[in-house]
Amino acid sequence: MGCCGSAERTKREWRPLEDRSCTDLPWLLLFTVFCVGMGSICSFTIVTGGAARLVFGYDSYGNTCGRRNEVIEGVRLSGLDHTDRKFIFFLDPCNVDIVQRKIKSTALCVSLCPTEELKTYQDLKSFAMLNGSELCSYELAGHKYPALPERFSKCPKLPVPPSKPLPVFNRCTPVDISCYAKFAEAVVTFVSDNSVLHRLIAGVAASKEIIIGLCVLALVLSMILMVIIRYISAVLVWILTAMVVLGSLAGTSVLWWLYIDHRLYGNYTTNQVTEEAELNRENGQALLVYAGAATAFTIILLLLMLFMRKRVALTIALFHVAGKVFIHLPLLTLQPFVTFFALLLFWIYWILVLLFLGTSGNSVQNEETGLTEFRLTGPLQYLTWYHAVGLVWITEFILACQQMTVAGAVVTYYFTRDKNRLPVTPILSSVLRLVRYHLGTVAKGAFIITLVKIPRLFLMYIHNQLKGKENACARCLLKTCICCLWCLEKCLNYLNQNAYAATAINSTGFCTSARDAFVILVENALRVATINAVGDFVLFLGKVLIVTSTAFAGVLLLNYQRDYAEWLLPLIIVCLFSFLVAHCFLSIFEIVVDVLFLCFAIDTKYNDGTPGKEFFMDKALMEFVESSRRLGRAVERGRSRVKAAVSEGAGIKPMAPGISA
């Protein structure tokens, strides 16, 4: 990796973009070994034939289609030469296992899929004679199909529907998939009427151009919002503040009005039955408690708004600077695309290897169907667990690489005093620094998240498996553990993100960076709380704005379709996609804001604007600092005047009463 040592300074100083060195090399080696293990699993499935069985298919006797096979001990009709038989044909393709989601039918290797419907055994014979493709079991001769007594159990169920081979996977699939209606109903449980399902699918097919156009619109709106949000953030923040305050006051007023109305109504019903009077009194006490709690909450909220108004102003300033970052670093808008395609490629690879594992291992006879299957037995069954851990760790690693890349670019922007002297491609420079120096840090941070995520996913799996079987106490305990692990994961994600930013600044290891970032965050706890609360809500409003705008445009474009039921699925697809796109883009914006805040906190801690300790911050943040200083000086002058007045009052002594002459 072009690295030397990873020794850290004994006394660290915040020196942005200086003293670059490799970090967490042992973790990089461990992650490399783990990835080699992931690749070895793929190689194992290819060498043992699992990949070939998935791609080319295998029959119910363990023979791979399109190949010369070896005899499997104890399995009849194994070891056949299927060089000319390249397609898998199911005797009863509509016999679907709803639970296992697979076809429970005898599979044979054939040389050609039937393209026309075969209604009789004579048709099966003619098809075998003309095309050389025998659709009954191997031990039956094609020219004897109509007369053999075994034809009812070892030949396909009549009538044989026309089929065509799937691309790449060589399975003969019925052209008319109506026989899978039962399976479709089990998967799409909210559709009970097939006509409704057909209308929804028809609506999607008829509106595919509109759906694609609306998805592109969501992309454009997300990119525009990331640039203009700095201009509207102040309005959004103060509207949010006003709505929260007015909502609290209104809720408190309504509760007090209900309590007073209840008291007045109770004065006219003093002659009620004793039980009704007692119930009336309890209701009055409950309303009084609610109103008192709402009043206390409103007072606390108003005090928080009063004392945190400066921190709200900091949030607005950070949003303003974040918008400038995207103007100077436009390639940041491509980060969601890069991350998405990296994740997509890895997930496709992971799913393929998982499917390969499903057709690897030793041949086992299914006790229920009597068919031959391939399963991992003994120590090999742990390969699936290893593969599952790889899914979580490598996914988190890719996401962490995105965070480190964005953090490195933002750090470069913030700590470059003259923005005209920024590198030509700060994003590319950040990627190169990540690859050369900090992959070990990213691997370590991703592993820590994996340690928390895997137990949570395991508990969720247990909870789903035991649904309806466990008692209330066990269910509550499971949900509590899942919730706690989820909260811990979110906290670690936030700390990791700041640790990556600290690594981008100081080039220190993960633990050191996490500790330094944690100290900075604790020293600015109120600011952190305000930025996360207000900033997250503003970004949420941005997501809602993009989704509603895209949905509104969709309604206008779909208006020409008079069957309003056909609107449903296209609009759902568009709304889900627009929310996903908005979330991806605004998550990058959120990372930029968080990194800017950490840089700002470091800047204000170690610099004071004096010669030799000039600030690195942007003009908008400088104005915030200056206004805070002016306010602080005004408060200090007020305190000094009060102290002076108190000291003067203490210095004036009362005159003793005179002695009359």
Side-chain angles (χ1 to χ4, degrees):
M1 302 299 295
C3 294
C4 41
S6 60
E8 299 178 356
R9 298 185 295 271
T10 56
K11 182 180 179 180
R12 290 174 305 281
E13 299 177 0
W14 291 95
R15 293 182 178 178
L17 311 180
E18 296 180 6
D19 299 337
R20 193 64 55 184
S21 61
C22 294
T23 54
D24 298 302
L25 277 178
W27 283 93
L28 175 59
L29 296 176
L30 177 63
F31 183 73
T32 303
V33 171
F34 183 85
C35 290
V36 170
M38 292 284 289
S40 300
I41 293 177
C42 182
S43 302
F44 167 78
T45 61
I46 294 174
V47 171
T48 57
R53 294 188 195 101
L54 177 70
V55 175
F56 299 110
Y58 66 96
D59 61 17
S60 298
Y61 310 103
N63 301 299
T64 302
C65 298
R67 293 190 172 189
R68 184 186 299 273
N69 298 276
E70 297 180 359
V71 177
I72 301 175
E73 185 178 354
V75 179
R76 69 183 187 90
L77 298 179
S78 62
L80 301 179
D81 184 4
H82 285 333
T83 306
D84 298 328
R85 299 176 177 179
K86 299 181 179 180
F87 302 102
I88 283 289
F89 177 76
F90 296 97
L91 299 188
D92 186 7
C94 296
N95 186 9
V96 178
D97 187 347
I98 301 296
V99 178
Q100 299 294 330
R101 293 180 176 86
K102 63 181 181 181
I103 298 175
K104 295 171 56 178
S105 169
T106 301
L108 301 175
C109 294
V110 298
S111 56
L112 189 67
C113 299
T115 56
E116 297 179 356
E117 185 179 38
L118 306 177
K119 299 180 180 179
T120 65
Y121 291 106
Q122 185 63 38
D123 293 340
L124 290 176
K125 173 185 174 182
S126 301
F127 182 79
M129 294 296 100
L130 292 175
N131 302 292
S133 182
E134 299 178 347
L135 303 183
C136 294
S137 186
Y138 303 133
E139 68 265 28
L140 303 183
H143 63 282
K144 297 181 179 180
Y145 284 167
L148 292 174
E150 300 95 335
R151 66 184 183 276
F152 299 107
S153 59
K154 296 185 178 181
C155 285
K157 183 179 179 181
L158 297 178
V160 179
S163 59
K164 60 181 180 180
L166 280 176
V168 180
F169 290 101
N170 301 329
R171 268 71 170 177
C172 294
T173 307
V175 176
D176 183 11
I177 60 172
S178 59
C179 65
Y180 297 137
K182 185 178 179 182
F183 179 71
E185 289 177 8
V187 176
V188 191
T189 54
F190 65 90
V191 177
S192 57
D193 185 4
N194 285 334
S195 62
V196 176
L197 178 61
H198 293 158
R199 288 166 64 192
L200 292 176
I201 296 175
V204 173
S207 310
K208 56 182 180 295
E209 294 85 2
I210 296 176
I211 293 174
I212 294 173
L214 291 173
C215 292
V216 174
L217 176 63
L219 281 171
V220 174
L221 289 177
S222 299
M223 298 174 71
I224 293 175
L225 183 63
M226 292 172 68
V227 177
I228 68 170
I229 197 171
R230 66 178 177 135
Y231 300 109
I232 63 176
S233 58
V235 177
L236 291 177
V237 168
W238 293 121
I239 288 176
L240 164 64
T241 304
M243 288 175 58
V244 171
V245 172
L246 292 177
S248 300
L249 291 174
T252 304
S253 302
V254 168
L255 286 173
W256 279 113
W257 177 78
L258 290 175
Y259 172 71
I260 294 172
D261 181 70
H262 185 273
R263 288 293 302 270
L264 293 176
Y265 174 75
N267 292 334
Y268 293 103
T269 56
T270 53
N271 297 324
Q272 293 178 346
V273 182
T274 305
E275 293 183 0
E276 294 183 0
E278 182 65 22
L279 180 61
N280 190 42
R281 187 179 64 82
E282 291 179 357
N283 290 337
Q285 290 179 348
L287 282 174
L288 179 61
V289 171
Y290 297 154
T295 303
F297 173 78
T298 302
I299 293 174
I300 294 173
L301 182 64
L302 292 175
L303 291 175
L304 285 175
M305 291 293 181
L306 178 63
F307 288 110
M308 298 180 70
R309 64 187 185 280
K310 292 191 300 181
R311 296 171 179 85
V312 172
L314 174 60
T315 304
I316 297 173
L318 287 173
F319 270 63
H320 186 79
V321 178
K324 288 186 178 180
V325 170
F326 282 96
I327 293 176
H328 285 88
L329 310 177
L331 290 181
L332 276 178
T333 56
L334 298 180
Q335 281 299 303
F337 294 105
V338 175
T339 304
F340 173 76
F341 283 118
L343 288 173
L344 184 63
L345 289 175
F346 169 67
W347 289 341
I348 291 174
Y349 164 82
W350 188 87
I351 291 172
L352 282 176
V353 175
L354 182 66
L355 294 175
F356 293 164
L357 285 172
T359 55
S360 300
N362 302 318
S363 59
V364 178
Q365 194 169 28
N366 190 311
E367 296 180 358
E368 181 182 354
T369 61
L371 307 179
T372 301
E373 299 176 351
F374 290 88
R375 297 177 186 173
L376 296 172
T377 57
L380 293 178
Q381 61 186 334
Y382 296 107
L383 292 178
T384 306
W385 290 101
Y386 187 96
H387 195 58
V389 173
L391 171 66
V392 180
W393 192 3
I394 297 179
T395 297
E396 292 297 330
F397 176 81
I398 295 173
L399 294 174
C401 285
Q402 173 187 268
Q403 294 176 353
M404 178 70 88
T405 301
V406 174
V410 175
V411 165
T412 302
Y413 171 85
Y414 187 95
F415 289 105
T416 301
R417 298 186 190 276
D418 185 1
K419 307 305 180 189
N420 295 323
R421 301 182 63 182
L422 283 169
V424 179
T425 55
I427 298 294
L428 182 58
S429 301
S430 180
V431 171
L432 293 177
R433 286 198 302 270
L434 165 64
V435 173
R436 184 175 181 183
Y437 297 110
H438 305 310
L439 283 179
T441 298
V442 171
K444 186 174 183 179
F447 182 77
I448 291 175
I449 299 298
T450 304
L451 287 181
V452 179
K453 187 183 286 287
I454 288 180
R456 181 172 67 85
L457 295 176
F458 182 70
L459 290 178
M460 291 175 63
Y461 172 77
I462 293 177
H463 181 261
N464 290 330
Q465 291 296 111
L466 298 179
K467 187 172 292 184
K469 301 177 182 178
E470 77 279 19
N471 57 35
C473 182
R475 183 169 59 251
C476 180
L477 183 61
L478 274 175
K479 289 184 176 180
T480 302
C481 293
I482 293 171
C483 182
C484 291
L485 288 173
W486 180 83
C487 294
L488 178 60
E489 181 183 335
K490 293 300 178 183
C491 293
L492 288 176
N493 265 320
Y494 183 73
L495 182 60
N496 279 11
Q497 180 180 302
N498 286 278
Y500 299 146
T503 298
I505 297 173
N506 261 350
S507 190
T508 49
F510 177 82
C511 292
T512 303
S513 298
R515 183 182 62 198
D516 294 343
F518 182 75
V519 170
I520 296 292
L521 295 175
V522 169
E523 292 174 350
N524 298 269
L526 290 179
R527 287 177 172 177
V528 172
T530 306
I531 291 170
N532 281 294
V534 178
D536 287 352
F537 190 82
V538 170
L539 295 179
F540 173 75
L541 291 180
K543 297 174 187 177
V544 172
L545 176 64
I546 292 172
V547 172
T548 52
S549 300
T550 308
F552 179 70
V555 170
L556 294 180
L557 293 175
L558 293 170
N559 190 39
Y560 73 92
Q561 296 184 5
R562 295 306 176 190
D563 189 353
Y564 297 112
E566 296 181 2
W567 289 21
L568 179 61
L569 198 54
L571 281 179
I572 290 176
I573 293 173
V574 167
C575 290
L576 288 176
F577 181 82
S578 59
F579 181 81
L580 176 64
V581 169
H583 176 73
C584 291
F585 277 90
L586 293 181
S587 294
I588 297 295
F589 192 91
E590 184 179 6
I591 294 173
V592 171
V593 171
D594 290 338
V595 175
L596 283 174
F597 171 71
L598 185 67
C599 295
F600 170 78
I602 294 168
D603 198 8
T604 53
K605 180 177 181 179
Y606 292 97
N607 299 310
D608 54 11
T610 59
K613 289 188 176 183
E614 295 85 359
F615 288 121
F616 289 93
M617 66 186 66
D618 187 86
K619 182 180 178 181
L621 292 173
M622 188 75 74
E623 291 175 355
F624 168 78
V625 172
E626 291 298 328
S627 63
S628 299
R629 286 181 173 180
R630 286 195 298 270
L631 182 60
R633 286 194 294 266
V635 172
E636 188 64 29
R637 285 196 299 268
R639 289 177 179 174
S640 61
R641 289 174 183 174
V642 171
K643 289 181 180 179
V646 171
S647 61
E648 288 180 5
I652 300 175
K653 297 181 179 179
M655 294 180 63
I659 301 173
S660 58

